[in-house]
Amino acid sequence: DPVASLEHVTVAYGATKALDDLTLDIASGEIIGVIGESGAGKSTLLALLDAAQHPTSGRVRILGTDPAALRDREIRELRRRIGMVFQGFNLLSNRTVRQNVALPLKLQRAVDPQHVESLLDYVGLADRADHYPAQLSGGQQQRVAIARALVTRPGLLLADEPTSALDTRTTEGILQLLSDARRDFGTTVVLVTHELEAVGAICDRVAVLERGVLQRVFPVVRADYGR
Ligand code: ADP
Ligand code: ADP
């Protein structure tokens, strides 16, 4: 079964259609890129996949359920199974690296210090566990954010322009980390980006959005990463 699927989904704001009759399956274990200009509907698509928003019409299924049919508490439970990574990292500045990574587990009363340590190690920041975000580079902060997103073993990882604030070298490392997570944990990744190199580097498929319309979905032939 797909991890998520959208069937004839439209999201309308008055006369504006942020998404217009979009049909798309996201397969388990794939990395799918989503590209499109500003206003194309990328954020709206992520909000649907994060069960933060419902479509005006059409059907959405995420991790086996229809969010529109869930109660608020069930929506919160579903959203705990979805990891999010943002352009601006969104770390808590008054918490250490370790506390940031541990937070999702703490909120679920599923504290697992060993798992937290192993993820800090996985993203290469075990020696920075007691530092605060401001003491880290942008790339290191994004690694913390990815560790935090992975700590709940999410069935779906949504990455919203995760490398747009980073330089080229750092970008490569972050893309490699997302690709590794898919390889090592089977994590399904939706990568929204305006950076075509990112798409070519790690994605299996790319969806092209234009003014709310899914213009095409094409496979990516990859040269190096992700094997
Ligand atoms: P992108 O993330 O690709 O820039 P968005 O999903 O943010 O695109 O927006 C798609 C379209 O929907 C745009 O025309 C935007 O102005 C419109 N839109 C998005 N959110 C709202 C909203 N809350 N109210 C009105 N229009 C919106
Ligand atoms: P183990 O059975 O020892 O946990 P795994 O191969 O399942 O071995 O995991 C190796 C490491 O990766 C462990 O530290 C585990 O906590 C972590 N891990 C496993 N699955 C995931 C996942 N889906 N997301 C994030 N981390 C994971």
Side-chain angles (χ1 to χ4, degrees), residues 91 97 100-101 125 136 140-148:
L91 300 174
V97 165
N100 268 280
V101 173
L125 290 174
L136 305 180
Q140 289 172 330
Q141 289 184 54
Q142 194 61 297
R143 285 174 182 276
V144 176
I146 291 170
R148 179 182 58 182

Side-chain angles (χ1 to χ4, degrees), residues 112 114-119 122 147 149-155 181 184-187:
D112 184 348
Q114 249 184 314
H115 184 50
V116 170
E117 295 311 310
S118 95
L119 273 174
Y122 187 79
L150 290 174
V151 81
T152 54
R153 297 181 169 84
D184 297 335
F185 311 133
T187 312

Side-chain angles (χ1 to χ4, degrees), residues 103-165:
L103 192 63
L105 295 179
K106 197 173 169 190
L107 294 174
Q108 297 177 30
R109 297 187 188 81
V111 174
D112 184 348
Q114 249 184 314
H115 184 50
V116 170
E117 295 311 310
S118 95
L119 273 174
L120 287 169
D121 190 47
Y122 187 79
V123 302
L125 290 174
D127 59 338
R128 301 300 173 105
D130 295 315
H131 289 216
Y132 287 87
Q135 298 174 284
L136 305 180
S137 70
Q140 289 172 330
Q141 289 184 54
Q142 194 61 297
R143 285 174 182 276
V144 176
I146 291 170
R148 179 182 58 182
L150 290 174
V151 81
T152 54
R153 297 181 169 84
L156 178 60
L157 179 64
L158 306 175
D160 189 0
E161 298 278 3
T163 60
S164 296

Side-chain angles (χ1 to χ4, degrees), residues 13 16-19 36-45 209:
Y13 297 103
T16 305
K17 287 179 177 170
L19 292 175
E37 291 180 3
S38 180
K42 305 182 298 297
S43 307
T44 304
L45 175 59
L209 278 176

Side-chain angles (χ1 to χ4, degrees), residues 63-203:
L63 300 173
T65 62
D66 175 358
L70 300 181
R71 300 159 180 276
D72 287 354
R73 189 176 57 79
E74 294 167 321
I75 296 254
R76 283 196 295 275
E77 281 165 14
L78 172 63
R79 296 186 72 195
R80 285 184 193 147
R81 298 164 60 202
I82 301 167
M84 280 282 246
V85 179
F86 307 92
Q87 175 171 358
F89 321 131
N90 296 21
L91 300 174
L92 296 179
S93 59
N94 59 347
R95 307 285 173 95
T96 65
V97 165
R98 179 184 285 113
Q99 288 169 335
N100 268 280
V101 173
L103 192 63
L105 295 179
K106 197 173 169 190
L107 294 174
Q108 297 177 30
R109 297 187 188 81
V111 174
D112 184 348
Q114 249 184 314
H115 184 50
V116 170
E117 295 311 310
S118 95
L119 273 174
L120 287 169
D121 190 47
Y122 187 79
V123 302
L125 290 174
D127 59 338
R128 301 300 173 105
D130 295 315
H131 289 216
Y132 287 87
Q135 298 174 284
L136 305 180
S137 70
Q140 289 172 330
Q141 289 184 54
Q142 194 61 297
R143 285 174 182 276
V144 176
I146 291 170
R148 179 182 58 182
L150 290 174
V151 81
T152 54
R153 297 181 169 84
L156 178 60
L157 179 64
L158 306 175
D160 189 0
E161 298 278 3
T163 60
S164 296
L166 306 174
D167 64 38
T168 309
R169 278 262 318 272
T170 310
T171 290
E172 285 176 9
I174 293 299
L175 294 174
Q176 186 66 61
L177 181 57
L178 293 174
S179 179
D180 289 348
R182 183 270 291 276
R183 181 195 63 205
D184 297 335
F185 311 133
T187 312
T188 305
V189 182
V190 177
L191 172 63
V192 167
T193 182
H194 67 272
E195 296 173 318
L196 275 175
E197 314 81 62
V199 156
I202 65 165
C203 294

